[in-house]
Amino acid sequence: EKEMVDFRRWITALAVLAIFAGLAGAQVGGGGTQGGPLLCSATVAVPPALRAEGLTELIGDIVLTCTGGTATTTGAAIPTANITVSLGTQVTSRILGNGGASNSSEALLLMDEPGVATLPAPVAGFGPQAPQTLCTTPGLGAGPGGCVAFASDRTVNGGTIQVAVNSAGAAAANVFQGLVVANQVTFQGIPILAPVSAGVQRIFRITNVRANISGLGGGGQAGTTQLLASVSISGSTSLPINTPVQTAGFIQNGLSVDFRNSNNSSGLGSGGGGFNQCGPGNTSGNPLGVAILRYNENFGTAFKTRVAPTAAYNGQSGTPSTQNIPGTIYNSESGFYFPAASNGGFAAGLADYGTRLKAVFNNVSPGVRIFVSVTNLAANVTSANTAAPAGNTNTSSYAVLINGEASPDANGFPPVLSPTTGINGSPATTGLYDITSGGAVAGASYTAVWEVINTNPATNEQFIFGVWTQFSPNPGNNSPLPGTATVNASYAPTAPVPFSTSAGSQASSSLTIPRFADTSSARNVMNIAICQTLLLFPYVANVSGFDTGIAISNTSTDPIGTSAQNGTCSLSFYDGSGKTPNVTTPNVPTGTVYTALLSDPKVAPGFQGYMFALCNFQYAHGFAFITDALTRNLAEGYLALVINGTLNRNNGSPAGEGLGN
């Protein structure tokens, strides 16, 4: 990553060097010298990949390169213009509200690449060697009553170069804040000092423009959906722009999530991780593995740290003092960091945290505990926690569990949660956190959020997090309740209300950056099934003087420690003409026997065929006795077949039925 940043800096340096090499040899008089009409061209050198889920995506820097024009009279105020960028979606750059303008933002316009001090400049202290100086009147810019700039002549190599100065004769303001309204950001009162001579250029760089990409839709195949930005120059000085519509980014889904079983060998079934109501719930032992959630990065910069880490600070730093070189690509949630433009604890360009990933669990049965891993794992629920990498510029994949999707990072320290228990060895190598705080309650929702601490922009990464459970089996009290828990996996934080109608999709002074739309769908992650036994009675009859007696025993109380259960049995009869309506028995308490005759009007008089009994308790056993009611002294009895829970009835399955008595 450092090599990539250095490469981008050199590209910028060479471009600016070429620009100001031309200025050094220009002959610009104190007024009236004509260099042709003043024309500007717009470019976006490197349109970035934009996450389709993002509400605050940083678009590519828009650079206006202007040539020609007429010199300004020496000592006169430099004429100004308003430069506006329009998108097909809302501009969501942070609103700072400073400088007397309620909609002033973190979006910035930089003149002549200030702050590239390593480059030569035709006039010392100006151009790339000028300090980055904020115009403190964003509503006026350099217009009347604002940070007015004046034309001043400087002699260079026997010629004259015109520069912009303030009323004290020092370099004029060269950083301007944009005013955000809906889908536009406008930079008011930008001084337009014509470069005049052939080969001389004036550079306006527009940076820190964020956009609601989710509002555009798209995000399919990489590179097929473009974000277009239109640039215009108007006001007291109106200028034509060559190629005013630019591709400012390519929209692509940034995240996909796989749901796997706990050993990561295959996808979850329709019910997710399956558990019986009667256990085991491992209340007194280690939590049981349920599933793993695998967050896949769809392109190399979809997961970002808060700032671009350097040897001096990590990727969560709140003071990235070197993240302010014009034209540099930082591959972080933060953009061009400019603390001079700040208000309310927020600074221009600085995000609140790195990329966050969340899982929201719903429909968790009361009393069931849900645990998640406190870091990403190597493969599955038997993996150890990923160790915190050494070195601030480490690019290994690393994420940590934090205490909320919108909790702010401290300066370099995310709000990490400590494990509440651990598994896999003694001492435990995998720390877990109970997100249900001791057990779920009815109707509650539970959220786990991890923040990306280290990432590698040169590769598509995967972050794997484990899910475990614990509960107290009590089938006699129908606890835990049968049901299927679901999970939604997405970026975080998501807008507080549906983004299409909320301020979450608009520029804001209070909502955190980054933020996202939740485009996920609920997936089954854990199923608790009632404890059941399925009995098959292969032949029962009440025809031609014969009758069948049925007995079903609830043996869930026995001398070897089974848990006492009770429940009804559902009797389904089949005779080749279709299934008759079910017959539901009364509740069969543990240690008792349900008996009935087929001839009973409440059972199945006149029936001949086979019957299934599905009992809502384990350890049911059945017996059938067929007799001719002593007419011919014919009788036969048999044990019902117990069909195991692992019964596989798939067509063509070589396993066949598993039956046990």
Side-chain angles (χ1 to χ4, degrees):
E1 182 179 7
K2 181 177 184 299
E3 292 175 355
M4 182 181 297
V5 170
D6 288 344
F7 173 74
R8 297 297 183 191
R9 289 177 177 171
W10 276 110
I11 290 295
T12 302
L14 291 173
V16 178
L17 177 60
I19 292 167
F20 286 96
L23 277 176
Q27 299 294 318
V28 181
T33 303
Q34 180 67 41
L38 182 58
L39 299 175
C40 298
S41 295
T43 59
V44 176
V46 185
L50 304 173
R51 295 167 291 194
E53 305 90 341
L55 296 174
T56 56
E57 294 295 281
L58 280 168
I59 73 172
D61 283 6
I62 301 170
V63 177
L64 294 175
T65 304
C66 302
T67 59
T70 302
T72 302
T73 301
T74 301
I78 299 172
T80 63
N82 301 331
I83 300 178
T84 299
V85 175
S86 302
L87 306 178
T89 186
Q90 300 94 334
V91 173
T92 53
S93 298
R94 194 195 302 275
I95 299 297
L96 296 175
N98 57 345
S102 61
N103 60 339
S104 63
S105 73
E106 65 174 341
L108 302 176
L109 183 147
L110 312 175
M111 293 182 59
D112 293 335
E113 312 286 42
V116 189
T118 56
L119 294 180
V123 179
F126 291 86
Q129 291 187 0
Q132 294 170 355
T133 303
L134 177 68
C135 175
T136 58
T137 54
L140 302 171
C147 54
V148 180
F150 303 91
S152 179
D153 293 344
R154 295 289 191 274
T155 300
V156 177
N157 297 329
T160 301
I161 292 179
Q162 207 164 53
V163 295
V165 298
N166 59 24
S167 58
N174 51 18
V175 181
F176 296 81
Q177 290 178 255
L179 307 181
V180 173
V181 177
N183 69 322
Q184 294 184 328
V185 55
T186 298
F187 301 91
Q188 297 281 119
I190 303 303
I192 307 296
L193 184 61
V196 182
S197 298
V200 180
Q201 298 172 322
R202 176 126 288 116
I203 304 297
F204 301 95
R205 177 179 295 275
I206 298 170
T207 191
N208 285 353
V209 177
R210 297 182 184 269
N212 171 16
I213 301 303
S214 180
L216 288 172
Q221 186 176 356
T224 59
T225 307
Q226 301 176 4
L227 172 69
L228 299 180
S230 300
V231 190
S232 63
I233 301 177
S234 61
S236 58
T237 301
S238 297
L239 298 174
I241 298 178
N242 186 32
T243 60
V245 179
Q246 291 289 310
T247 299
F250 295 97
I251 301 170
Q252 183 180 351
N253 291 324
L255 174 67
S256 60
V257 183
D258 294 333
F259 298 75
R260 303 278 176 158
N261 63 19
S262 57
N263 65 12
N264 194 26
S265 62
S266 63
L268 292 173
S270 60
F275 296 85
N276 284 329
Q277 185 187 61
C278 50
N282 257 28
T283 303
S284 59
N286 287 330
L288 300 173
V290 174
I292 64 167
L293 310 179
R294 188 168 66 188
Y295 293 75
N296 303 298
E297 185 181 35
N298 289 347
F299 55 88
T301 56
F303 298 163
K304 310 173 191 285
T305 51
R306 184 187 191 191
V307 297
T310 71
Y313 53 80
N314 63 26
Q316 277 59 53
S317 174
T319 55
S321 58
T322 62
Q323 194 156 324
N324 60 355
I325 309 301
T328 302
I329 298 173
Y330 292 104
N331 291 322
S332 65
E333 295 289 2
S334 298
F336 182 90
Y337 176 58
F338 190 63
S342 62
N343 195 29
F346 298 115
L350 183 61
D352 297 288
Y353 30 70
T355 303
R356 291 179 172 179
L357 308 169
K358 76 172 178 177
V360 181
F361 297 84
N362 288 299
N363 304 320
V364 182
S365 295
V368 172
R369 301 172 72 181
I370 296 292
F371 300 82
V372 296
S373 57
V374 296
T375 73
N376 53 306
L377 305 176
N380 52 43
V381 295
T382 64
S383 303
N385 288 130
T386 301
N392 290 339
T393 57
N394 196 296
T395 58
S396 58
S397 302
Y398 182 58
V400 295
L401 186 71
I402 59 173
N403 67 4
E405 61 179 307
S407 299
D409 278 355
N411 188 7
F413 301 96
V416 177
L417 290 171
S418 299
T420 54
T421 189
I423 59 171
N424 298 330
S426 182
T429 60
T430 309
L432 314 183
Y433 185 85
D434 181 1
I435 62 172
T436 54
S437 299
V441 297
S445 179
Y446 300 93
T447 301
V449 180
W450 298 269
E451 181 171 344
V452 173
I453 303 300
N454 281 305
T455 184
N456 186 351
T459 186
N460 292 8
E461 297 174 273
Q462 292 181 341
F463 284 83
I464 295 173
F465 306 104
V467 182
W468 293 260
T469 190
Q470 249 183 7
F471 58 87
S472 178
N474 191 350
N477 290 327
N478 197 30
S479 177
L481 291 175
T484 300
T486 63
V487 63
N488 286 72
S490 69
Y491 282 118
T494 51
V497 292
F499 73 92
S500 59
T501 58
S502 77
S505 63
Q506 309 288 334
S508 172
S509 61
S510 58
L511 295 180
T512 56
I513 290 177
R515 57 187 184 273
F516 300 88
D518 186 353
T519 59
S520 67
S521 299
R523 290 280 300 272
N524 295 339
V525 67
M526 177 181 176
N527 175 262
I528 294 180
I530 192 169
C531 290
Q532 295 178 321
T533 306
L534 183 61
L535 302 176
L536 171 60
F537 293 79
Y539 181 75
V540 293
N542 177 224
V543 293
S544 303
F546 286 86
D547 201 359
T548 304
I550 299 169
I552 299 175
S553 302
N554 180 346
T555 64
S556 59
T557 296
D558 63 27
I560 58 174
T562 57
S563 58
Q565 305 163 45
N566 62 83
T568 61
C569 296
S570 178
L571 312 182
S572 300
F573 296 87
Y574 300 84
D575 62 1
S577 61
K579 175 182 174 183
T580 63
N582 288 354
V583 175
T584 301
T585 72
N587 185 67
V588 183
T590 183
T592 67
V593 179
Y594 163 79
T595 61
L597 291 173
L598 223 63
S599 58
D600 187 326
K602 296 180 180 180
V603 184
F607 176 83
Q608 178 178 230
Y610 65 92
M611 184 264 288
F612 278 104
L614 181 62
C615 298
N616 291 324
F617 49 85
Q618 288 183 312
Y619 312 113
H621 294 276
F623 180 75
F625 189 77
I626 305 173
T627 178
D628 65 353
L630 304 180
T631 303
R632 294 179 293 275
N633 296 318
L634 299 176
E636 180 68 40
Y638 64 86
L639 292 174
L641 299 171
V642 179
I643 299 181
N644 296 329
T646 57
L647 174 64
N648 187 334
R649 290 179 175 270
N650 292 332
N651 291 335
S653 169
E657 293 187 351
L659 303 175
N661 290 320

